[in-house]
Amino acid sequence: EALSPVSFRGAAKAACSLLCYQYGREHRVPVVILRPFHVYGYFEPPSRLIPAALLSAMRGSLLPLPEREFRRDFVFVEDIVDATIRACRARLPPGTVINLGSGRASGVKSIIELVRSVTGREIRTVFGAYPARPWDTDRWAADIRLARKHLAWSPRHTLRAGIEKTWAWFTENPDVYGPRVEARGPRGSRTLRARWPATPRAMPIGS
């Protein structure tokens, strides 16, 4: 399929794909390209939508969001690991490109409501806190037919199940993100030093 990036980050990804193809041709390495869509889960940067929403639920802080209602294809990190292992073990034609996603697009508002439901906490949102980026599209969803065909793969986790696992990980690892992250769990509440900078605005998009 033709590469047509619309951002510098997208251009960098396209360039990496071309470099891999060329290396494979010159050195006879069977290169296969996996294209994960919006991956979420453990250790995801706090500027992304789901961790930003979970942090907002945990801290009671405001969650600034773009002015537009974007819809993205979210896929849990454990499912991406599974697909990657399957691709390493499969005998695929060199140059095969496989999309990895759920095949369904979820909107920002539905994600926020799901996080509220999973955590049992309120999230105070500020829509329109900053403008959308010029290259953002309203909807992305993966076509995973090749993943099913070549890898016998589709995500095992629903969006809710993945967010539930991510929230459980957040509450067990409150020291991973930002200052003054308070978690209430079996060991009680605690406040630990930050490893990430202060929570930035939430960017519910990928490129």
Side-chain angles (χ1 to χ4, degrees):
E1 88 190 70
L3 298 173
S4 54
V6 295
S7 68
F8 284 109
R9 185 179 178 186
K13 291 180 180 180
C16 288
S17 294
L18 293 174
L19 287 170
C20 289
Y21 290 145
Q22 186 60 31
Y23 183 91
R25 284 193 293 265
E26 289 189 10
H27 298 276
R28 297 183 179 180
V29 176
V31 170
V32 171
I33 303 293
L34 300 180
R35 292 182 179 165
F37 274 55
H38 206 101
V39 184
Y40 70 95
Y42 323 125
F43 291 104
E44 186 180 9
S47 60
R48 309 279 274 185
L49 176 60
I50 289 177
L54 292 172
L55 286 172
S56 178
M58 183 175 279
R59 296 172 174 170
S61 57
L62 288 174
L63 178 63
L65 295 163
E67 58 190 0
R68 285 163 53 190
E69 167 73 345
F70 294 101
R71 298 178 64 83
R72 297 290 180 262
D73 189 337
F74 293 87
V75 58
F76 189 48
V77 64
E78 289 183 12
D79 291 320
I80 295 298
V81 171
D82 178 36
T84 302
I85 293 172
R86 289 170 182 256
C88 290
R89 293 172 175 170
R91 293 184 177 274
L92 301 174
T96 300
V97 178
I98 299 178
N99 293 326
L100 301 177
S102 69
R104 295 179 295 274
S106 299
V108 174
K109 293 179 181 178
S110 66
I111 294 292
I112 300 302
E113 288 305 315
L114 192 50
V115 171
R116 284 181 176 133
S117 174
V118 168
T119 63
R121 301 185 184 186
E122 184 53 44
I123 300 175
R124 296 183 295 151
T125 58
V126 183
F127 281 91
Y130 53 93
R133 300 180 298 187
W135 59 84
D136 285 324
T137 57
D138 291 334
R139 185 182 186 276
W140 287 350
D143 180 347
I144 61 172
R145 285 176 293 180
L146 289 181
R148 290 193 179 104
K149 176 181 177 181
H150 293 303
L151 307 179
W153 177 91
S154 61
R156 292 184 298 108
H157 295 83
T158 63
L159 185 54
R160 183 183 184 91
I163 290 177
E164 286 174 345
K165 281 191 172 183
T166 305
W167 174 243
W169 180 85
F170 265 61
T171 59
E172 287 297 316
N173 298 276
D175 57 329
V176 172
Y177 293 102
R180 299 185 62 80
V181 177
E182 184 177 277
R184 294 178 177 84
R187 303 185 187 90
S189 299
R190 56 179 179 164
T191 302
L192 299 171
R193 293 180 60 189
R195 296 183 185 177
W196 292 85
T199 306
R201 62 192 185 184
M203 298 290 286
I205 45 185
S207 54

